[in-house]
Amino acid sequence: MGVEQRTGAVSEPAMASLTTPLRWFLTLLFGAVLAGAVVGLGISQKRLAALAGDAARQPPVVILSVADAVRAGLDAGQIRVFSERLAERGFLVLDAQAVLAAPAELSLPLGEEAGR
């Protein structure tokens, strides 16, 4: 039996088998990836802070159904004055027909719904 079995042979570490230029390349690559991640995180945090600031400066929104206001007995002039007064107090007044979807809390109840 001319074939000897090696038992207990210790394998070389993976980095020891790499050449010096390849080690430098991998080190630079890892550093570049790490730097990119840090810069990307900083940029995303800055953009989130800007979004939060913009949201804080947005006026509160009220959705007014002109059709419900007319059914409640208001005429066009009264609806206009009511909307302008809300706007003077910092509200953005939208007509319900112009809104595709919104939470129910934003709708201003008029007429029969006002008692709820």
Side-chain angles (χ1 to χ4, degrees):
M1 303 222 137
V3 178
E4 294 181 24
Q5 286 186 339
R6 292 186 183 186
T7 56
V10 178
S11 65
E12 286 184 43
M15 283 297 278
S17 65
L18 299 177
T19 63
T20 303
L22 186 57
R23 284 185 195 176
W24 278 106
F25 173 74
L26 291 175
T27 303
L28 288 174
L29 180 64
F30 178 73
V33 168
L34 186 61
V38 169
V39 169
L41 181 65
I43 290 171
S44 68
Q45 291 298 321
K46 188 183 265 189
R47 292 182 86 189
L48 284 174
L51 265 172
D54 286 345
R57 290 187 297 268
Q58 296 297 322
V61 176
V62 173
I63 300 172
L64 175 67
S65 173
V66 174
D68 288 346
V70 169
R71 277 189 231 118
L74 298 173
D75 64 13
Q78 292 171 320
I79 296 169
R80 180 92 169 145
V81 168
F82 182 64
S83 298
E84 288 172 354
R85 285 185 183 162
L86 285 171
E88 289 170 0
R89 289 177 175 81
F91 287 90
L92 174 65
V93 182
L94 300 175
D95 184 9
Q97 291 182 347
V99 177
L100 294 177
E105 301 87 42
L106 296 179
S107 296
L108 186 63
L110 293 172
E112 297 172 7
E113 299 176 356
R116 289 189 210 176

